[in-house]
Amino acid sequence: MSLVSFKRMGWLARRLSRMYPAEVPYRVASVLRATAQQHGFLDASRVPEREIGARFGSPWVGTPDNNLADPAAVFQVAHSLLDDGVQVFDVCVPIGSSIADWNADPKTGISIPTTFGLGIDFRHIANDVDIKHLWELNRHTWWVPLAQAYAISGDRVWLDAIECSLDDWLMQCPYPLGANWSSPVEHGIRLINWSIVWHLTGGENSPLFSGPTGHARLEKWLASIYQHIRFARDNYSFYSSSDNHLIGEAAGIYVAANTWGVWPEVRKMGQRAKALLEREMMRQFSSDGVNLEQAFCYHKFSLEFMVAALLSGEANGELFSESFHQRLLASIRFMAAMTDCEGRTPAIGDSDDGLVFRLVGDGTSSAYVAMQMFGASYYGVADLQDKLQKLGHARADAIWLKLPSGKRSVVPGTSSQLPERFVEGGYLLFGRDLHDSNELRIVMDVGSLGYNRISGHGHADALALLLSYQGKDFLIDPGTYCYNAAPELRHYFRGTSAHNTAVVDEVDQSVYGGSFLWLRDVHCRIHRLDENSDGVLVEASHDGYMRLHDPVTHIRTVRFNRHQLTLDIEDRFDCKESHSCSLHWHIAAECTVDSIENGWSVSRDGIEMQFQIEFERGRSELVSGRVAPPLGWVSRRFYEKQPNPVICVQGNFDSTTVVKTRITLVS
């Protein structure tokens, strides 16, 4: 047995242990269906005839009318794509007249065989190939700026670039062969971007489809679109896989049904997809708006799917329920609350910098701010508009998106200020002057490990703290770095030692099962939450170390004093025996850290914070960029990392031990 096969068998055994009982027959049926499709049965090779008289759907995106915030930005991005290529994480892919090999890994150049797609084990590809690079390029998000440039200018050069790429992609990626037919959520993303490109380039009346060659292109594209819809429908990610993937698959099908609903069965698939989106909005987002995967990037990612579905539906007379809207607005307000005064968002949980779609030239600084702009434009709520104004956006118009005329009425129960307590979702936000330029911002994680048993994108970060002042980070979450490559670093960035919380007996809060798999749930409990004019007091615990031979409950008490600008953290441990403890404070790489009496001075840009530490049987040291075992790294973008300082406090504790950390803003 090869090493790759051995790793796959081990992963399958661990994955099986986290499945729901009812999931096993579903997985068996999926394997049988895939086997039949591999041999030409029950597949979508034959595309049905389109319904006579059926029309294509109305657009949900369009060229703005005289209110384009920054047309130069559209052309800048479009020119850069043609001149320099597509940036795919840490590599730039020249596109020339088109991509030479759509089935090759852009980083290594290794071509993945165009065998039956569902039979490709994309988690364990040899030669250090991470399938993420190939998928990212094939999502076709980068076609959208080209379509935008064409929509503004009518210049055929942009359309020609899309035309060449489309022709080559359809030729090189036939259903159901190759890595581009191995993961249905990728089809959902591609369908949404294809829908945007379709509408911005003129739909069925586009010059793309003029003449005999253009007509043949239209027929080939529509055939692939139908097969995309079927592939996503046939392989919905149900049960323990029903996270953002299920949302993405359903959203792609629904947007496609609204755009190209010229087949009766596709319209039926679209209605089922809409019902799934309604259900998953309530399942995957808490009532206070937090995506339960506990990964901020995937919170935004899932919202982009929902917004595309919502707008494509409304453009074609399909409305979502009031409960859907309430949950959607709550989730956007959570995002706004967690965005600091500089428009930056925390790196909590996994992040692969993924986008469902991005319409450039909207004047926003990030996809997170763009989502908040949609919320302000669509719902007209004052708190989102105020937040955008504080971020420097005098206007709150989501251009390029076709919104209903007039603002939607405010969802009942919405307050005039952004919330700060997300108890159900698992986050507490507090500090001083929040959302203003002088804010002192503290975020505390009091949530579960992740979603739906496997917690695929969650990190073992229970009770972790983040701290920033005036939009400058001091205590950080180090991020993600990678998924399928560099297994040791993947484990490190997901593990407890990479977060501002305590490690007991040198093990994570949960049992690590693989790149997207934890084998034990972790839950937090808030024991006390008090607030008055002087400050905030929080006491919470988690059960991640109850699995040890001598069970340990980690209890953290946090006191913030608004007047003295001090943050007092006390870590206690309920146990019977003695254990080891490592407490980590991950400092932003821009900071300078110096030793002082009983602690450390952390400074940047003329601001100093002092960390004073009391641990009777402990000692503290500064670590940065350690390789084995990894410690002291930060990843601000996928596949990029750099050393950062970590104050590491180590020692032994028992039930009488209290580890005290006081953080004081000195200047």
Side-chain angles (χ1 to χ4, degrees):
M1 179 182 294
S2 68
L3 179 60
V4 172
S5 297
F6 181 78
K7 289 181 178 179
R8 174 173 169 77
M9 292 302 295
W11 178 86
L12 286 172
R14 294 189 297 273
R15 183 66 177 82
L16 183 63
S17 71
R18 298 300 284 168
M19 288 185 184
Y20 297 97
E23 185 171 357
V24 176
Y26 163 76
R27 296 288 181 180
V28 172
S30 298
V31 171
L32 293 175
R33 182 185 64 250
T35 301
Q37 291 179 344
Q38 184 175 7
H39 292 86
F41 301 102
L42 305 176
D43 68 356
S45 295
R46 180 185 173 278
V47 179
E49 294 291 329
R50 300 200 296 273
E51 185 179 36
I52 297 175
R55 295 184 177 182
F56 295 106
S58 299
W60 56 281
V61 294
T63 310
D65 296 327
N66 300 320
N67 68 343
L68 181 60
D70 189 3
V74 175
F75 293 113
Q76 180 181 0
V77 172
H79 278 295
S80 178
L81 286 167
L82 296 189
D83 296 341
D84 305 322
V86 183
Q87 191 67 39
V88 180
F89 306 133
D90 55 335
V91 296
C92 189
V93 183
I95 62 175
S97 59
S98 181
I99 303 297
D101 186 352
W102 288 99
N103 292 291
D105 171 30
K107 186 168 186 177
T108 64
I110 295 174
S111 185
I112 299 175
T114 51
T115 56
F116 181 61
L118 289 174
I120 296 174
D121 181 13
F122 53 77
R123 296 179 184 85
H124 306 96
I125 299 178
N127 301 313
D128 296 323
V129 171
D130 187 341
I131 197 69
K132 283 289 294 178
H133 286 85
L134 185 149
W135 282 346
E136 187 72 19
L137 183 67
N138 282 271
R139 288 177 172 181
H140 299 164
T141 55
W142 56 276
W143 289 10
V144 171
L146 300 175
Q148 289 180 273
Y150 173 75
I152 295 171
S153 67
D155 191 333
R156 181 75 197 215
V157 66
W158 312 114
L159 202 63
D160 289 344
I162 295 172
E163 178 183 294
C164 292
S165 291
L166 175 60
D167 287 346
D168 287 349
W169 196 93
L170 293 173
M171 179 180 66
Q172 295 180 34
C173 304
Y175 171 86
L177 306 176
N180 287 310
W181 294 90
S182 61
S183 176
V185 70
E186 299 301 316
H187 294 69
I189 298 170
R190 204 152 44 236
L191 284 168
I192 290 172
N193 284 289
W194 283 0
S195 174
I196 295 173
V197 170
W198 170 274
H199 290 309
L200 291 181
T201 57
E204 70 270 30
N205 298 315
S206 170
L208 281 170
F209 311 128
S210 61
T213 301
H215 180 74
R217 178 179 300 115
L218 174 62
E219 294 304 315
K220 289 179 183 178
W221 197 11
L222 288 175
S224 186
I225 287 166
Y226 171 81
Q227 290 164 340
H228 270 66
I229 297 168
R230 273 288 310 273
F231 186 87
R233 192 285 308 268
D234 290 349
N235 299 285
Y236 269 133
S237 298
F238 289 128
Y239 293 99
S240 60
S241 295
S242 60
D243 50 17
N244 68 85
H245 283 219
L246 179 58
I247 290 176
E249 292 147 12
I253 291 172
Y254 186 63
V255 170
N258 286 318
T259 306
W260 303 286
V262 291
W263 301 278
E265 65 175 292
V266 163
R267 294 197 292 272
K268 292 179 181 178
M269 293 178 205
Q271 290 306 302
R272 187 193 182 201
K274 181 174 183 285
L276 285 173
L277 291 170
E278 290 267 10
R279 187 188 75 181
E280 295 305 312
M281 175 61 85
M282 309 309 291
R283 285 186 175 182
Q284 296 196 38
F285 289 84
S286 63
S287 62
D288 49 18
V290 179
N291 183 274
L292 298 179
E293 288 197 75
Q294 305 296 312
F296 204 74
C297 173
Y298 285 92
H299 179 100
K300 183 266 304 173
F301 196 59
S302 294
L303 286 187
E304 289 172 338
F305 283 126
M306 293 296 189
V307 168
L310 170 67
L311 293 180
S312 72
E314 290 202 346
N316 292 278
E318 294 270 352
L319 302 180
F320 280 78
S321 69
E322 194 64 27
S323 59
F324 179 95
H325 283 286
Q326 290 176 2
R327 198 62 56 95
L328 177 62
L329 178 56
S331 66
I332 297 173
R333 296 178 77 230
F334 167 70
M335 178 183 290
M338 295 287 278
T339 302
D340 73 10
C341 63
E342 292 293 322
R344 299 176 306 114
T345 52
I348 296 170
D350 269 352
S351 173
D352 63 357
D353 304 331
L355 296 169
V356 176
F357 66 93
R358 182 77 165 100
L359 290 152
V360 300
D362 60 2
T364 61
S365 57
S366 71
Y368 296 89
V369 176
M371 189 58 57
Q372 295 169 49
M373 185 170 282
F374 160 78
S377 299
Y378 187 86
Y379 292 107
V381 289
D383 53 10
L384 290 176
Q385 293 173 335
D386 290 345
K387 178 72 176 189
L388 288 167
Q389 290 176 355
K390 290 178 178 179
L391 292 176
H393 297 282
R395 299 164 60 250
D397 294 325
I399 59 180
W400 290 98
L401 300 177
K402 284 188 171 294
L403 305 183
S405 58
K407 307 284 191 200
R408 182 183 175 87
S409 60
V410 176
V411 176
T414 301
S415 67
S416 60
Q417 293 184 333
L418 291 173
E420 298 175 6
R421 307 289 180 264
F422 305 91
V423 174
E424 183 183 352
Y427 297 99
L428 302 176
L429 171 64
F430 51 95
R432 194 186 73 173
D433 300 326
L434 291 175
H435 310 298
D436 290 332
S437 60
N438 201 45
E439 71 174 2
L440 178 64
R441 169 178 289 260
I442 302 159
V443 176
M444 185 174 182
D445 187 326
V446 291
S448 60
L449 176 60
Y451 180 67
N452 215 5
R453 292 181 66 84
I454 65 173
S455 301
H457 289 299
H459 290 190
D461 55 1
L463 307 186
L465 292 165
L466 304 177
L467 173 65
S468 67
Y469 179 57
Q470 295 180 346
K472 298 176 176 63
D473 283 330
F474 282 84
L475 285 179
I476 64 167
D477 187 310
T480 300
Y481 180 56
C482 70
Y483 281 172
N484 296 310
E488 187 177 18
L489 286 171
R490 171 61 172 157
H491 186 174
Y492 164 69
F493 278 98
R494 293 193 79 198
T496 306
S497 65
H499 299 89
N500 299 314
T501 187
V503 177
V504 175
D505 291 346
E506 300 182 356
V507 297
D508 293 319
Q509 293 170 347
S510 182
V511 178
Y512 191 74
S515 291
F516 302 96
L517 179 63
W518 291 103
L519 300 180
R520 288 182 179 270
D521 297 326
V522 178
H523 299 98
C524 289
R525 178 185 175 191
I526 299 175
H527 303 277
R528 186 177 176 186
L529 177 55
D530 299 330
E531 181 173 11
N532 54 40
S533 59
D534 294 328
V536 178
L537 184 149
V538 181
E539 181 179 274
S541 65
H542 75 81
D543 60 5
Y545 291 118
M546 291 299 289
R547 72 182 192 274
L548 301 180
H549 73 278
D550 174 45
V552 177
T553 300
H554 176 199
I555 306 163
R556 171 165 280 185
T557 303
V558 177
R559 295 179 178 86
F560 172 66
N561 188 300
R562 287 195 180 94
H563 306 300
Q564 299 178 1
L565 295 183
T566 56
L567 183 66
D568 288 292
I569 304 109
E570 294 184 355
D571 290 294
R572 310 190 315 276
F573 306 90
D574 186 3
C575 55
K576 295 180 180 179
E577 301 175 6
S578 177
H579 298 262
S580 69
C581 169
S582 296
L583 182 64
H584 300 102
W585 298 115
H586 294 263
I587 310 299
E590 296 83 358
C591 294
T592 299
V593 184
D594 297 304
S595 177
I596 60 174
E597 185 177 358
N598 297 324
W600 303 85
S601 170
V602 179
S603 59
R604 64 175 296 186
D605 302 322
I607 303 168
E608 180 187 2
M609 292 192 184
Q610 291 186 354
F611 286 63
Q612 295 172 306
I613 300 167
E614 295 182 26
F615 188 178
E616 184 177 347
R617 289 183 285 173
R619 61 181 179 83
S620 65
E621 64 175 335
L622 192 67
V623 179
S624 179
R626 192 174 74 192
V627 175
L631 186 65
W633 297 95
V634 62
S635 175
R636 292 191 174 94
R637 295 181 62 188
F638 204 55
Y639 268 106
E640 293 182 6
K641 64 179 175 63
Q642 69 178 97
N644 78 287
V646 179
I647 299 171
C648 182
V649 185
Q650 296 177 304
N652 294 320
F653 68 84
D654 57 29
S655 61
T656 66
T657 303
V658 180
V659 183
K660 297 181 180 180
T661 305
R662 165 168 280 199
I663 304 174
T664 305
L665 176 61
V666 177
S667 60

